[in-house]
Amino acid sequence: MSTVTESRGPADGVTPDTTPPGGKGGRDVLREMDNPHRVRAVKDVVAKVVMWFAFALAMIPLVWILTTVVAKGVHMLGSATWWTGNQRNINSDDFGGGARHAIEGTLEMVGMTTLIAVPIGIMTAVYLVEYGRGGLARAISFMVDILSGIPSIVAGLFIYAVVVTTFGLRQSGFAASLALVLLMIPVIVRSTEEMLKLVPNELREASYALGVPKWVTVVKVVLRTAFSGIITGVLLGVARVMGETAPLLILAPYTKNFQRDLFNGNFPTLPMMINQDRGDLALPAAAERMWGAALTLILLVLLLNVIGRVVAHFNAVKK
Amino acid sequence: MAKRIDVSDLNVYYGSFKAVEGVSMTVEPRSVTAFIGPSGCGKSTFLRTLNRMHEVIPGGRVEGKVMLDDQDLYAASMDPVTVRRTVGMVFQRPNPFPTMSIYDNVAAGLRLNGVKNKKTLDGIVESSLKGANLWNEVKDRLNKPGAGLSGGQQQRLCIARAIAVQPQVLLMDEPCSALDPISTLAIEDLINELKNDYTIVIVTHNMQQAARVSDRTAFFNLKATGEPGRLVEVDDTTRIFNNPSQQATEDYISGRFG
């Protein structure tokens, strides 16, 4: 039998009948080789345990948040007026009313944000990946990096300085949308960029070789191929801004009424509704409303995610 | 439909690097011309200059003249997009559009250039697929994704896609190097049929393939790595493989190097 199997056996001290290559030291080498097997197995187990532990640790806050919010907020969602009413003439310690004003407001504001940010973001990414060369592209890429690091409250202050201080306009839902645009653009640019880079160059060449102009290639081949990935990126952006509160504090003061006009006056949103009731947590009615609004916000993001995934699925590259 | 290509004294550069130097040759219409030579000798690069695809790579440019019958491909007024509509290309790896069905892949070149008439498209898709010997295999699943076909079928799909825009010339850049022998045979048969209608230029690493499919063969070589590639000689395929006039060609085809 081979010397290797013998020295791996339980009788580790047994001398092999042929001297392994390397002469006298060979036995030691074999013994050392024996060890790494066990060491590797131990390392494997340790790594597995650490990994699962880290995973569990990461899941704790998520599960905790979800269970808390669901437990405390779910009965509000079943109340008669939650999906239809607003908070008009309802004081902090009154029960009743609904969140429809804030749901509509949040959707409208984020819708406006998406409408502005998505074309800008996607076109920027297309420029960076398909056209941009040299200094300008590097400068833009750098700016996007900076933009993605801007604290949301600073974005809010900036828009306040532009819209209210410089142009003398009133605070409004639209002003808040503009601040959210600043937060959403870098998310969309970065994710779209990654998706466009994943489109194989062979597809572009195939299209050019058919005598298709570059812009048609970009629109009909490149963007089309990356479409489902781009949708995912847009969703990330929407999720990022939907719960954003700081710019709203500055730009879109809360109202308990229905207010569908984005351009004039106070504007109701779910984060601001949460913020409103947060101050009166001692009152059961306010606490209830706050958790209800929190759960509604989570559900809204979830719903948009599901819709986006369905859309992406039906447009995904078919295998 | 086929046209003659006349190349005179062509240099190809990528940035400041001279990739190909001093190529002059004629490609006869309705025939198959094969480019052979060791890796890096510039045969693919030269091929791409015949429909200006080298310009897709940043820094790619040429000096010299390429005439397609009486059209100068590099005239200032010539749009590269127009050139590529006249001179089609099939690539090394089959590259059907992954988001499109078999039908849409073949129709892509026309649709993306604005042809919408369903009847016209139907007709061209059918004739192109028949032309690429693929019709019988796919006629019942035209709406299935093109990426679901086998490698050899995908390559024939790409050929169908290329001939759907009715080019004058068809360039093939190692079209069989990613395929198994059976699919290779299918493509070679197809090339034999296509040469009745098109001018075909094929780059191949496989000398037997060049001997099998081509009427004329051009041998490219380079002196050393980093030096530009050159055309050593171009002649009838039988002559190149039996009695070449250059020693380097003789050495290459007899397997002494490369």
Side-chain angles (χ1 to χ4, degrees):
Chain A
M1 287 309 281
S2 85
T3 55
V4 176
T5 38
E6 269 180 33
S7 70
R8 263 191 202 151
D12 222 359
V14 173
T15 317
D17 30 27
T18 50
T19 319
K24 234 179 128 189
R27 225 181 304 154
D28 297 332
V29 171
L30 282 180
R31 197 165 294 143
E32 274 169 35
M33 281 180 67
D34 218 20
N35 266 338
H37 270 296
R38 267 174 245 144
V39 172
R40 213 159 49 221
V42 171
K43 275 183 189 162
D44 182 46
V45 171
V46 170
K48 253 184 210 160
V49 169
V50 169
M51 192 188 72
W52 281 106
F53 183 72
F55 170 68
L57 212 61
M59 288 303 286
I60 288 173
L62 179 64
V63 173
W64 199 341
I65 291 174
L66 277 180
T67 47
T68 310
V69 176
V70 169
K72 298 195 176 186
V74 74
H75 72 280
M76 283 304 285
L77 270 52
S79 80
T81 51
W82 184 256
W83 301 102
T84 53
N86 60 11
Q87 294 292 316
R88 190 186 171 89
N89 296 329
I90 294 177
N91 293 321
S92 294
D93 53 352
D94 294 340
F95 288 92
R100 192 187 184 97
H101 63 308
I103 297 172
E104 283 179 353
T106 288
L107 288 178
E108 200 178 326
M109 179 183 285
V110 172
M112 175 58 87
T113 306
T114 310
L115 217 59
I116 302 173
V118 165
I120 298 177
I122 291 182
M123 284 194 272
T124 307
V126 165
Y127 173 76
L128 289 177
V129 177
E130 305 292 332
Y131 293 92
R133 298 268 176 275
L136 182 60
R138 267 202 304 280
I140 291 176
S141 193
F142 182 60
M143 294 298 186
V144 172
D145 274 342
I146 292 180
L147 202 57
S148 63
I150 285 186
S152 56
I153 192 140
V154 175
L157 282 173
F158 169 70
I159 297 297
Y160 188 90
V162 172
V163 172
V164 182
T165 312
T166 310
F167 288 104
L169 301 170
R170 289 183 58 194
Q171 292 157 301
S172 66
F174 182 69
S177 281
L178 289 180
L180 296 184
V181 164
L182 294 182
L183 302 173
M184 195 169 179
I185 282 178
V187 180
I188 293 181
V189 172
R190 282 288 168 249
S191 58
T192 305
E193 230 186 320
E194 291 311 313
M195 291 305 138
L196 294 181
K197 282 182 190 159
L198 284 181
V199 176
N201 231 351
E202 284 107 61
L203 296 184
R204 296 182 180 88
E205 293 201 334
S207 180
Y208 296 147
L210 292 171
V212 179
K214 182 163 186 174
W215 73 271
V216 180
T217 302
V218 169
V219 175
K220 295 278 178 68
V221 175
V222 180
L223 284 177
R224 177 66 190 80
T225 307
F227 183 81
S228 65
I230 293 173
I231 290 283
T232 311
V234 170
L235 284 174
L236 281 176
V238 169
R240 163 93 164 78
V241 301
M242 197 166 239
E244 200 55 74
T245 317
L248 311 189
L249 287 170
I250 302 171
L251 294 164
Y254 181 62
T255 166
K256 291 178 167 182
N257 300 329
F258 283 117
Q259 160 68 290
R260 297 199 175 107
D261 186 355
L262 262 177
F263 296 91
N264 280 303
N266 296 3
F267 199 76
T269 48
L270 282 167
M272 290 300 282
M273 184 175 169
I274 295 170
N275 183 62
Q276 170 86 11
D277 289 318
R278 178 190 54 88
D280 304 309
L281 269 190
L283 307 169
E288 213 166 53
R289 257 196 313 273
M290 186 193 81
W291 289 111
L295 182 58
T296 309
L297 185 56
I298 292 176
L299 287 179
L300 227 50
V301 173
L302 194 70
L303 182 73
L304 286 175
N305 243 299
V306 169
I307 293 174
R309 268 167 208 282
V310 169
V311 172
H313 176 79
F314 282 108
N315 287 287
V317 168
K318 294 166 199 105
K319 276 273 141 57
Chain B
M1 245 201 316
K3 287 192 176 176
R4 175 195 315 275
I5 306 172
D6 244 309
V7 183
S8 42
D9 210 18
L10 194 80
N11 298 328
V12 191
Y13 297 84
Y14 287 125
S16 56
F17 174 68
K18 197 181 210 177
V20 178
E21 185 176 62
V23 175
S24 299
M25 68 183 292
T26 305
V27 175
E28 297 296 335
R30 291 199 174 75
S31 72
V32 179
T33 304
F35 293 176
I36 60 170
S39 294
C41 69
K43 52 195 188 310
S44 287
T45 300
F46 174 61
L47 184 80
R48 291 169 75 98
T49 62
L50 299 182
N51 70 343
R52 298 183 66 167
M53 280 296 287
H54 68 291
E55 289 171 13
V56 172
I57 297 157
R61 66 196 165 85
V62 299
E63 288 166 356
K65 217 169 188 185
V66 180
M67 299 292 289
L68 190 69
D69 279 359
D70 49 0
Q71 285 175 296
D72 182 355
L73 292 192
Y74 288 93
S77 58
M78 186 58 92
D79 180 1
V81 171
T82 319
V83 173
R84 292 176 199 142
R85 279 179 201 169
T86 330
V87 184
M89 191 161 194
V90 175
F91 297 85
Q92 187 170 353
R93 283 185 33 210
N95 54 0
F97 297 122
T99 53
M100 297 184 193
S101 67
I102 293 170
Y103 181 100
D104 293 340
N105 259 289
V106 180
L110 297 164
R111 275 220 185 112
L112 297 180
N113 283 318
V115 178
K116 289 203 180 72
N117 187 307
K118 179 91 173 78
K119 248 194 183 132
T120 317
L121 287 174
D122 282 351
I124 292 178
V125 167
E126 181 171 344
S127 65
S128 305
L129 283 169
K130 279 180 175 159
N133 289 340
L134 193 60
W135 176 250
N136 286 328
E137 289 156 69
V138 301
K139 64 179 176 214
D140 301 320
R141 45 170 174 157
L142 290 175
N143 292 318
K144 293 273 154 57
L149 298 172
S150 76
Q153 289 173 326
Q154 285 188 22
Q155 193 63 300
R156 277 180 281 149
L157 179 63
C158 292
I159 294 175
R161 181 177 65 186
I163 60 181
V165 293
Q166 288 156 354
Q168 309 286 339
V169 180
L170 204 53
L171 308 176
M172 299 181 153
D173 190 354
E174 298 183 41
C176 302
S177 64
L179 305 180
D180 66 285
I182 305 282
S183 310
T184 300
L185 189 67
I187 303 274
E188 286 180 7
D189 287 345
L190 175 57
I191 291 172
N192 254 321
E193 290 170 26
L194 289 175
K195 77 171 176 184
N196 297 324
D197 300 315
Y198 301 95
T199 306
I200 294 178
V201 185
I202 177 172
V203 167
T204 176
H205 262 294
N206 180 334
M207 279 182 275
Q208 285 75 32
Q209 181 170 62
R212 281 193 301 264
V213 301
S214 71
D215 304 303
R216 284 169 70 78
T217 298
F219 173 61
F220 288 80
N221 201 1
L222 72 176
K223 285 203 184 91
T225 331
E227 296 276 313
R230 292 160 174 280
L231 173 66
V232 177
E233 66 174 310
V234 53
D235 213 328
D236 290 340
T237 299
T238 45
R239 239 186 109 79
I240 290 277
F241 281 93
N242 293 315
N243 188 19
S245 55
Q246 300 289 322
Q247 186 60 40
T249 317
E250 168 96 50
D251 290 350
Y252 184 72
I253 57 145
S254 59
R256 235 162 277 160
F257 81 99

